[in-house]
Amino acid sequence: MHTMKTQLLFIFLLSLAFLLPQKTNAQVAKKILAAGDKKIAIYDFNNFEKRVNQKNDTTYIVNFWATWCIPCVQELPYFEQLQEKYKSEKIKVILVSLDFPKQVEKSLIPFIKKKKLTSEVILLDAKNPNAWINKVDPSWSGALPATLILNKKHRYFFEKSFNFEELENEYLELTKRD
Amino acid sequence: MRYLLLLIATLFITNGDALAQKNKKRKKTGYKIGSIATDFSLKNVDGKMVSMKDYDEAKGFIICFTCNHCPFSIANESRLIYIDGKYKKLGYPLIAINPNDPAVNEDDSYEKMIERANEKGFTFPYLFDEGQKIFPQYGATKTPHIYLLQKTKKGPQVKYIGSIDNSARDIEEVTERYLEDALDALIKGGKIKITETKAIGCSIKVQKP
């Protein structure tokens, strides 16, 4: 009987562990690079995964881009627009830059300032793309731009460029699903 | 009791795994390992047309879709020159093809290709996929994107698809040389261990309909 109690307690604790909110953010960045007042968090792949795979009620819009990628730069305003239009909902746009780490201060930060980007921008500095690209999505060839839309239940991946309407439709479709 | 625990744990785990996946991907087209690649006749930066059939002596080809503007392509240029120098004499010359529509990015125009090839001293042909007929047949989606071909009776057969190595951005961090390993295996008549790899690249530029 004693062991039965212990085991029940264990089950209870185990369940609790699953129910507890995961570490909220996200102070998981590898390091922070700064230029003036602007800071960019640099993530390795493991920490990036933790950052976007959170079991909370937020829908994450994760866009892979780079400052030199013309179709990426063209679609950035739509991600900003989406965040703004649905700011009353639990939505989080994360712009994942794949700029070269050496270019953060020279290119990335000035670009963010010039375009007045309000969404969170992080830099993914991940080794061995052959391994991590498949973890983002097996269908991704590695071409930029690419976008993940996900919440704790659903995960959409797109290797394409968006216009606002397409992006909004995918967001609405995913958030409406059970 | 132990089983109950297991059951509960399993429930949690499968619940996590059962996350609905819905990937709206384009249908994968193009060559797979073992496909026979079609020949092409494309204009080189020296004004002459180049086809694989022109190379009587070659045992195969390293076809690299690349371009002028993409930083990942630029970061790989010196590696392409090195690989061409090493493997041309072993029967595997490199042929670079720019698949981009210059109407989308003028830096990828034929004139700029000539400039880039001269500036960088390309030792290999740098062809322009005019009309964008060739890259979709191969299934290339980005630059750089490599197809290693070996001549067979049926035609040039695809042996490896992917990247040169595992660190396009920084040559100092390369620990795997996929393309060279595949070439070495082909030359020795051995089995290629890794036949497909992925890397970040610039999407091939096509005008929107």
Side-chain angles (χ1 to χ4, degrees):
Chain A
M1 207 51 215
H2 175 71
T3 52
M4 180 79 178
K5 262 186 194 162
T6 333
Q7 281 178 336
L8 275 174
L9 182 69
F10 180 67
I11 293 170
F12 174 72
L13 286 175
L14 185 76
S15 320
L16 204 63
F18 278 97
L19 295 172
L20 280 174
Q22 308 243 326
K23 228 194 265 177
T24 43
N25 191 5
Q27 291 316 329
V28 288
K30 203 164 76 169
K31 59 180 172 185
I32 311 281
L33 266 187
D37 54 341
K38 190 80 198 166
K39 291 186 175 70
I40 294 287
I42 301 184
Y43 283 69
D44 62 20
F45 190 74
N46 283 341
N47 289 332
F48 163 76
E49 272 196 314
K50 281 181 206 152
R51 180 79 177 83
V52 299
N53 288 315
Q54 297 194 44
K55 304 294 174 227
N56 54 27
D57 295 327
T58 301
T59 299
Y60 290 86
I61 319 284
V62 182
N63 173 245
F64 297 90
W65 68 292
T67 54
W68 40 260
C69 163
I70 295 164
C72 305
V73 171
Q74 280 167 345
E75 67 177 8
L76 284 181
Y78 309 134
F79 290 89
E80 299 265 289
Q81 198 182 337
L82 188 75
Q83 170 93 62
E84 179 58 27
K85 184 166 175 184
Y86 293 96
K87 62 184 173 192
S88 61
E89 300 181 6
K90 288 182 175 169
I91 177 173
K92 172 79 182 167
V93 170
I94 303 180
L95 304 176
V96 181
S97 159
L98 286 153
D99 281 86
F100 293 21
K102 285 172 194 157
Q103 301 287 318
V104 169
E105 284 147 80
K106 217 178 86 198
S107 305
L108 181 59
I109 290 178
F111 179 92
I112 295 166
K113 286 182 175 169
K114 192 176 133 210
K115 299 279 177 182
K116 299 188 171 68
L117 297 182
T118 54
S119 306
E120 181 178 350
V121 179
I122 66 172
L123 186 93
L124 181 59
D125 181 14
K127 309 267 178 284
N128 282 321
N130 188 43
W132 68 256
I133 289 170
N134 280 331
K135 289 183 193 166
V136 173
D137 195 277
S139 75
W140 188 13
S141 78
L144 295 178
T147 299
L148 259 180
I149 303 181
L150 75 166
N151 59 22
K152 63 184 170 188
K153 285 187 191 148
H154 307 290
R155 184 182 177 102
Y156 292 178
F157 176 79
F158 307 87
E159 178 175 331
K160 61 171 274 187
S161 301
F162 276 108
N163 61 34
F164 181 73
E165 198 188 357
E166 290 165 345
L167 182 64
E168 184 181 35
N169 286 342
E170 297 297 352
Y171 167 73
L172 292 175
E173 191 191 303
L174 181 132
T175 46
K176 274 182 196 133
R177 288 179 70 188
D178 289 330
Chain B
M1 197 61 216
R2 195 179 294 160
Y3 293 108
L4 182 62
L5 254 180
L6 256 174
L7 182 71
I8 289 173
T10 318
L11 274 177
F12 275 113
I13 292 161
T14 46
N15 190 29
D17 268 1
L19 293 181
Q21 286 263 353
K22 184 191 168 201
N23 296 315
K24 305 191 164 185
K25 58 196 167 197
R26 285 168 297 183
K27 212 179 157 200
K28 247 192 186 172
T29 52
Y31 298 148
K32 298 180 185 70
I33 301 302
S35 296
I36 301 298
T38 23
D39 202 354
F40 40 75
S41 179
L42 298 173
K43 191 154 80 168
N44 191 10
V45 284
D46 64 4
K48 292 178 187 148
M49 304 303 279
V50 171
S51 298
M52 289 193 275
K53 65 173 164 42
D54 305 335
Y55 293 75
D56 291 334
E57 304 291 309
K59 294 177 179 131
F61 301 92
I62 306 159
I63 307 292
C64 180
F65 292 93
T66 186
C67 68
N68 301 331
H69 89 274
C70 172
F72 285 92
S73 293
I74 294 167
N76 268 328
E77 285 171 339
S78 304
R79 280 173 257 190
L80 293 184
I81 294 170
Y82 164 78
I83 285 169
D84 182 54
K86 184 172 169 190
Y87 290 97
K88 186 156 43 187
K89 52 181 185 263
L90 297 169
Y92 289 85
L94 189 141
I95 299 175
I97 302 176
N98 169 21
N100 286 343
D101 183 347
V104 181
N105 189 338
E106 59 182 32
D107 284 341
D108 288 327
S109 69
Y110 178 68
E111 291 69 31
K112 294 269 173 74
M113 285 172 61
I114 299 171
E115 271 175 38
R116 192 66 203 157
N118 289 334
E119 215 171 77
K120 208 50 204 175
F122 285 176
T123 54
F124 43 81
Y126 186 23
L127 314 180
F128 182 44
D129 187 4
E130 196 165 10
Q132 301 188 299
K133 298 271 192 305
I134 298 303
F135 90 79
Q137 294 185 52
Y138 278 70
T141 59
K142 61 184 191 293
T143 54
H145 203 154
I146 285 174
Y147 291 77
L148 173 60
L149 313 178
Q150 186 180 39
K151 277 192 187 170
T152 67
K153 281 176 192 160
K154 285 182 260 172
Q157 190 173 35
V158 178
K159 292 291 182 181
Y160 169 83
I161 303 173
S163 59
I164 296 179
D165 52 47
N166 68 343
S167 178
R169 294 201 290 201
D170 189 350
I171 197 165
E172 303 286 321
E173 288 180 2
V174 171
T175 55
E176 301 272 354
R177 294 179 170 79
Y178 308 121
L179 176 62
E180 286 178 75
D181 289 349
L183 279 156
D184 292 341
L186 272 191
I187 289 161
K188 276 185 205 142
K191 199 171 178 241
I192 299 173
K193 279 190 194 129
I194 301 173
T195 54
E196 286 186 79
T197 58
K198 288 186 178 180
I200 295 295
C202 305
S203 58
I204 290 177
K205 305 296 181 283
V206 183
Q207 265 185 317
K208 280 182 187 154

